[in-house]
Amino acid sequence: MSSSRETILQAIRANKPDLLPLPSVYTFESNYPDVLAQYQQTLQMIGGTVEVVPDLARVAERLKEIYPDLTRIAITLPELADLGNADLEVSDPHELEAIELAVIPGRYGVAENGAIWVTEQEMRHRALPFITQHLVLIIRAETIVPNMHEAYRRIQVDETGFGTFIAGPSKTADIEQSLVVGAHGARSLVVFIIA
Amino acid sequence: MSPHTLDHAAASEVFNRDEPRVDWHDETLWWVRQKRDRAAMQLPEWEALREAASQIKHHVLSNLDTLLENFERKAQENGITVHWAANAQEHNEIVWSLLHKKGIDRMIKSKSMLTEECHLNDFLRSKGIEVIDTDLGERIVQLRQEPPSHIVLPAIHLKKSDVGDTFHEHLGTEKGATDPQYLTEAARQHLRETFLTRRAALTGVNFAIAETGGFVVCTNEGNADMGAHLAEIHIASMGFEKIIPRADHLGVFLRLLTRSATGQPVTAYSSHFHRPRPGQEMHIVIVDNGRTTQLGRPDFRNSLKCIRCGACMNTCPVYRRSGGHSYHNAVAGPIGSILAPNLDMRKNADLPFASTLCGSCSNVCPVKIDIHDQLYKWRQVLAQEGYVGGIKKTSLQLASKVLASPTLFKLSFNAARTALRIAPWAANNPLNAWSIHRELPDAPKDSFRQWWEKNRK
């Protein structure tokens, strides 16, 4: 209701304190001697698995080795498309329900927290990295940044309609603080770093 | 939440009857607090980050109107419909009308303390709409028909055997099963079915970005995403203080939020929503519900800087030993005790007294809210406004007289010492609330003053 809009904005104007400036210092450097090693260590700590590989051909080999039994595989990376068999040309995201493995490229990795920035351009469907049972993300070593400040320097958050930092598999500790992996989203996360 | 009958002290007493459970609650939350400490110590710039966050939020409070107008304009350009709600009732009616228009009578919801504050679930139920909470902890307490007892860990007051019993009754798990892995899997299957069949999803908002007209939702389970990306209508509810000026400020807040909350470096999913997906409707409801009043109270406006991490609860010696439900408010613990009297002074006059004023809450707050100072200030406001109960008021008035007069002080302490020596049962008995969890000391024959006069003069 527009009347509430006006009421709220007027009350804010009447009640807010005098204007205070934004701080000039709000970004910080994280100096890790080796960001790749730091990334690997952090991701393992938060429940993900990481492998450093020389190229996409090796990724293809490893996918067959790690997931020999999975049959419904969605791949959004054109170079590896041959390995996938799930149809992503669907208009209703509910049709992705049966997907067991999704393989998606990420844009940036963050060494301090293990997160990888993925946008809807890479995921094709926003639901895909969440609805899949298992998730594989692929990044290039040179896209790993030390911390979140550096990540936001490179990202334009509204470039696509949706983007997310994914840090590890879906997890919960809501039952007596026991950590359980695989709550609603992907039950596992493997990250391949091409270096 | 229904109107409460017990004040904080009385409700804590109920919680305290099961002593081993209180000890366990206390230790569990202290363990989370220690995880927070370790995570904070990983970052040499931790204190500078807190200062930056605090200053950004100061700016936000001083420029709220402009930021909200900018946010609204950008969000509308992005194809998001923006609604404004002056109070809880209006918020609930907006949500209901959106569902009603599309003929939807079942909705899923990811964690939103604002909807708890507005009692949205009860309202929608009265309109014949079913709401299923999808955060595991929220779902557990929802099945038990309880409110969450913690803003980050909604079922922290329950043991796995409690959850096992609840799931056996509602989800058909094996009787007596307590394995968290097994129970979580049962919830996963139950909720997956729900995600796949609901056309509407509601999420909270962790941060809204004025510069870009988008918002960020953080979860570990991925439940907000599962809901929002499958539903044909996504409604996001936000208190207006969730606004931040620019996207690059998220670097500060995302580094602080989860480290403060659970000791994790970041949540598993930090999702940035800017436009609805093709064919989807996206709505955002900007809510006041008393926030402009709090903004107008210089002593208390800093409470609007809160990013809902829960660190103040985990560290609070009173919260840990009294449980979240004793606060009879959607947000429990120290921060809730500052927010609640703003909403209703009479109903929540007890809460600012549920604190030792030790300052631990202020020390861990990632946005540097002066929590314990505000609790102290609320006590004075509430006493002045006449909301402090009879016994507390009379004894404090008496104490202030005694402490203000050296003669009265000397006389009354001589009397107390004599009484403790001659008749200790007069103090160590259940009628004296002060002695319930304390052994009163053996009284010496002389006071310190008498000793000083004898030996040092």
Side-chain angles (χ1 to χ4, degrees):
Chain A
M1 237 184 291
S2 65
S3 66
S4 288
R5 178 186 187 277
E6 284 318 305
T7 313
I8 294 169
L9 287 171
Q10 270 170 26
I12 288 174
R13 281 180 206 118
N15 290 346
K16 69 177 183 175
D18 292 341
L19 188 67
L20 288 162
L22 279 168
S24 49
V25 179
Y26 64 93
T27 61
F28 303 87
E29 306 278 326
S30 298
N31 296 310
Y32 299 114
D34 181 345
V35 285
L36 177 57
Q38 179 64 39
Y39 180 86
Q40 289 176 270
Q41 191 194 326
T42 313
L43 187 74
Q44 276 156 6
M45 190 183 79
I46 58 176
T49 308
V50 60
E51 286 190 29
V52 180
V53 291
D55 50 33
L56 284 174
R58 181 67 189 144
V59 173
E61 285 170 23
R62 287 296 291 141
L63 287 175
K64 286 177 202 157
E65 287 165 17
I66 304 173
Y67 307 97
D69 305 323
L70 299 187
T71 53
R72 282 164 293 196
I73 299 174
I75 296 189
T76 68
L77 201 70
E79 296 91 325
L80 296 177
D82 291 352
L83 295 172
N85 53 16
D87 181 12
L88 289 174
E89 297 298 324
V90 297
S91 56
D92 180 355
H94 289 86
E95 291 176 46
L96 307 171
E97 185 212 343
I99 287 174
E100 294 170 304
L101 174 66
V103 182
I104 300 172
R107 291 205 187 181
Y108 298 103
V110 185
E112 71 157 330
N113 60 20
I116 290 180
W117 176 251
V118 194
T119 79
E120 66 181 335
Q121 197 181 319
E122 291 86 47
M123 47 182 98
R124 294 275 301 278
H125 294 277
R126 296 180 186 187
L128 183 60
F130 306 94
I131 203 167
T132 181
Q133 296 288 334
H134 300 276
L135 178 63
V136 167
L137 295 175
I138 301 171
I139 53 171
R140 297 191 171 273
E142 60 269 24
T143 65
I144 298 177
V145 298
N147 66 25
M148 293 297 272
H149 306 297
E150 187 56 39
Y152 278 111
R153 244 174 241 140
R154 303 197 184 193
I155 292 166
Q156 194 190 323
V157 287
D158 57 349
E159 182 192 336
T160 64
F162 177 74
T164 184
F165 281 105
I166 299 180
S170 163
K171 54 175 157 298
T172 181
D174 274 339
I175 301 177
E176 251 192 54
Q177 282 295 292
S178 311
L179 184 68
V180 177
V181 169
H184 306 294
R187 295 172 186 274
S188 70
L189 171 69
V190 174
V191 173
F192 288 107
I193 301 174
I194 299 172
Chain B
M1 224 173 295
S2 54
H4 69 288
T5 45
L6 296 179
D7 70 4
H8 178 267
S12 315
E13 213 163 296
V14 175
F15 186 77
N16 275 291
R17 279 180 205 148
D18 187 346
E19 220 171 295
R21 188 178 276 248
V22 176
D23 292 344
W24 164 80
H25 190 262
D26 178 19
E27 282 159 21
T28 307
L29 286 154
W30 185 247
W31 178 64
V32 181
R33 149 79 211 250
Q34 286 174 315
K35 286 202 294 181
R36 171 257 172 222
D37 290 349
R38 283 195 292 276
M41 282 185 286
Q42 296 280 313
L43 301 183
E45 65 272 35
W46 182 257
E47 289 305 317
L49 270 173
R50 286 178 73 211
E51 184 56 34
S54 175
Q55 287 185 26
I56 294 168
K57 283 285 187 176
H58 273 312
H59 169 81
V60 166
L61 296 183
S62 73
N63 196 30
L64 260 173
D65 48 338
T66 312
L67 292 172
L68 288 169
E69 285 171 316
N70 290 349
F71 172 78
E72 180 189 43
R73 195 179 58 249
K74 291 299 290 187
Q76 285 168 342
E77 284 170 20
N78 291 341
I80 304 173
T81 310
V82 180
H83 310 259
W84 299 74
N87 52 40
Q89 178 75 17
E90 192 175 4
H91 165 265
N92 295 347
E93 275 167 9
I94 289 168
V95 174
W96 177 72
S97 73
L98 291 171
L99 299 174
H100 186 68
K101 227 177 280 171
K102 295 184 76 76
I104 293 174
D105 62 0
R106 299 188 303 172
M107 182 177 82
I108 47 169
K109 186 165 131 272
S110 78
K111 192 158 29 182
S112 151
M113 293 320 293
L114 175 61
T115 59
E116 292 289 332
E117 175 188 318
C118 295
H119 308 303
L120 175 71
N121 287 15
D122 290 344
F123 175 87
L124 289 179
R125 197 180 310 120
S126 76
K127 298 280 186 189
I129 290 175
E130 174 213 69
V131 182
I132 289 195
D133 281 311
T134 57
D135 171 89
L136 179 59
E138 291 250 312
R139 185 65 185 136
I140 293 166
V141 294
Q142 186 183 36
L143 287 171
R144 297 169 63 89
Q145 300 187 330
E146 292 174 9
S149 75
H150 186 291
I151 58 173
V152 174
L153 317 162
I156 194 71
H157 59 294
L158 296 172
K159 297 230 175 192
K160 49 192 175 190
S161 57
D162 301 323
V163 180
D165 293 344
T166 305
F167 280 13
H168 172 65
E169 184 187 335
H170 296 278
L171 305 183
T173 54
E174 280 171 52
K175 196 172 170 59
T178 58
D179 176 33
Q181 185 85 45
Y182 167 79
L183 295 172
T184 302
E185 183 63 30
R188 178 185 170 98
Q189 300 302 337
H190 151 68
L191 286 167
R192 196 173 175 85
E193 176 57 30
T194 313
F195 284 122
L196 291 168
T197 50
R198 297 304 187 267
R199 294 163 55 207
L202 187 143
T203 69
V205 169
N206 287 93
F207 305 98
I209 312 155
E211 174 194 30
T212 60
F215 58 95
V216 177
V217 182
C218 305
T219 72
N220 276 320
E221 298 177 12
N223 54 317
D225 290 281
M226 275 292 272
H229 303 321
L230 289 171
E232 61 194 78
I233 173 169
H234 174 188
I235 306 168
S237 295
M238 78 175 247
F240 65 52
E241 77 282 9
K242 293 295 175 80
I243 195 94
I244 61 169
R246 295 200 305 266
D248 66 352
H249 293 137
L250 287 166
V252 174
F253 292 106
L254 289 189
R255 294 184 83 195
L256 287 166
L257 177 65
T258 322
R259 286 186 173 93
S260 298
T262 58
Q264 291 171 252
V266 71
T267 44
Y269 305 101
S270 309
S271 292
H272 300 51
F273 294 85
H274 275 88
R275 289 187 282 284
R277 64 168 202 276
Q280 187 194 34
E281 277 182 33
M282 196 177 275
H283 297 261
I284 188 148
V285 190
I286 300 174
V287 181
D288 179 347
N289 203 36
R291 285 163 175 75
T292 48
T293 313
Q294 193 86 320
L295 187 66
R297 301 185 205 268
D299 281 347
F300 303 112
R301 65 165 60 108
N302 272 352
S303 60
L304 295 173
K305 288 157 63 182
C306 178
I307 57 171
R308 302 290 192 269
C309 70
C312 61
M313 304 175 191
N314 303 339
T315 200
C316 177
V318 176
Y319 173 88
R320 283 187 277 119
R321 291 174 183 83
S322 59
H325 288 159
S326 64
Y327 291 79
H328 55 78
N329 186 50
V331 181
I335 184 68
S337 300
I338 303 173
L339 298 171
N342 177 60
L343 285 170
D344 187 336
M345 274 198 219
R346 179 170 300 281
K347 191 180 147 194
N348 299 309
D350 53 325
L351 296 183
F353 293 90
S355 168
T356 61
L357 302 183
C358 65
S360 190
C361 45
S362 308
N363 287 336
V364 296
C365 178
V367 290
K368 290 194 165 182
I369 302 172
D370 47 341
I371 305 177
H372 73 292
D373 287 335
Q374 292 194 37
L375 288 166
Y376 176 62
K377 286 173 185 163
W378 262 127
R379 294 182 184 187
Q380 295 167 58
V381 172
L382 292 164
Q384 270 160 19
E385 305 277 329
Y387 291 120
V388 175
I391 296 178
K392 193 172 270 156
K393 200 168 146 189
T394 320
S395 43
L396 286 176
Q397 277 168 351
L398 189 68
S400 85
K401 277 206 189 90
V402 171
L403 294 172
S405 150
T407 318
L408 261 180
F409 179 85
K410 200 165 134 187
L411 279 173
S412 47
F413 274 73
N414 280 341
R417 227 178 31 258
T418 310
L420 266 178
R421 285 181 57 229
I422 297 169
W425 45 264
N428 280 314
N429 74 56
L431 291 176
N432 179 5
W434 186 253
S435 75
I436 290 172
H437 290 288
R438 296 174 185 84
E439 288 288 322
L440 289 175
D442 294 330
K445 208 171 149 209
D446 296 333
S447 71
F448 176 74
R449 182 196 292 262
Q450 287 160 343
W451 176 89
W452 178 267
E453 278 164 1
K454 242 184 264 170
N455 294 290
R456 287 289 185 273
K457 272 215 161 163

